[in-house]
């Protein structure tokens, strides 16, 4: 079940006419399903049940698409995961959501690591890093640097991996 109070909070925001806050709650709930202890098939089912709640808000649907992609990747459904990511990226680009796109490079890169494709993971992590680094963004930049180091390490590029590992500690 949803954590106590989460869905009532979303319903309350819905009744108050605050669709963005309602969507933010639903997207956060989807994130907790991805990262929490719930078995992946159950998390995927629950996320699919929540998805209709985001109807009409393309940016929210795009963000939630990355949640669904992550769950599919954890089940080994990499084609589905990549397609969900690609659809979400298209929406983010159409809506000019550059910062969101940079943040979700983390998810698309992790999917590629799960698929044992460190070259594609590097491409995603590096894209996010290069988008956020000039902004001196601090919430995702260190994580992207560490993940980029992991992808480089997996390719045997140890010196470059060490550079990004050092960057992640700043």
């Amino acid at each position: 079940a949803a954590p106590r109070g989460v869905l009532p909070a979303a319903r309350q925001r819905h009744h108050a006419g605050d669709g963005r806050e309602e969507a933010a709650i639903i997207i956060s709930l989807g994130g907790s399903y991805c990262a929490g202890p719930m078995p992946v098939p159950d998390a995927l089912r629950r996320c699919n049940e929540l998805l209709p709640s985001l109807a009409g808000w393309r940016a929210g649907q795009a963000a939630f698409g990355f949640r669904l992609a992550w769950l599919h990747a954890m089940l080994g459904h990499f084609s589905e995961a990549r397609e969900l990511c690609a659809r979400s990226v298209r929406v983010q680009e159409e809506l000019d959501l550059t910062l969101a796109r940079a943040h979700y490079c983390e998810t698309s890169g992790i999917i590629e690591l799960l698929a044992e494709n460190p070259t594609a993971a590097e491409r995603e992590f590096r894209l996010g890093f290069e988008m956020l680094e000039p902004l001196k963004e601090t919430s995702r930049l260190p994580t992207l640097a560490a993940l980029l180091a992991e992808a480089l390490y997996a390719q045997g590029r140890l010196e470059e991996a060490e550079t990004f590992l050092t960057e992640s500690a700043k």
Side-chain angles (χ1 to χ4, degrees):
R4 186 177 210 96
V6 172
L7 290 181
R11 280 192 287 278
Q12 179 186 34
R13 299 314 321 145
H14 175 79
H15 293 303
D18 190 352
R20 284 194 183 272
E21 188 64 27
E22 175 189 11
I25 292 167
I26 291 167
I27 291 165
S28 293
L29 181 57
S32 68
Y33 288 159
C34 288
M38 184 179 291
V40 176
D42 294 340
L44 184 58
R45 180 182 48 77
R46 290 194 181 174
C47 282
N48 280 319
E49 290 169 358
L50 289 172
L51 187 58
S53 302
L54 297 170
W57 192 42
R58 292 182 69 216
Q61 289 173 327
F64 209 75
F66 285 106
R67 305 286 197 248
L68 293 169
W70 190 331
L71 291 167
H72 277 284
M74 286 193 286
L75 290 171
H77 306 156
F78 299 113
S79 295
E80 179 72 17
R82 289 176 179 125
E83 178 55 35
L84 285 162
C85 280
R87 276 189 263 162
S88 292
V89 165
R90 282 192 298 275
V91 170
Q92 288 176 333
E93 289 174 349
E94 288 170 15
L95 298 175
D96 198 26
L97 300 173
T98 305
L99 190 57
R101 170 65 185 118
H103 282 200
Y104 283 107
C105 285
E106 179 180 333
T107 301
S108 52
I110 288 170
I111 288 166
E112 294 302 338
L113 283 180
L114 289 171
E116 298 181 3
N117 188 344
T119 303
E122 174 195 354
R123 186 173 46 252
E124 288 299 312
F125 296 142
R126 190 177 297 276
L127 174 63
F129 184 87
E130 289 174 353
M131 292 170 81
L132 296 177
E133 204 267 336
L135 304 174
K136 302 299 180 203
E137 192 275 354
T138 58
S139 69
R140 288 280 201 283
L141 193 60
T143 302
L144 283 166
L147 289 166
L148 180 52
E150 183 176 346
L152 293 165
Y153 178 81
Q155 296 174 67
R157 295 162 53 195
L158 305 183
E159 286 183 31
E160 195 175 358
E162 185 176 357
T163 299
F164 282 98
L165 193 57
T166 301
E167 184 68 33
S168 74
K170 289 184 181 178

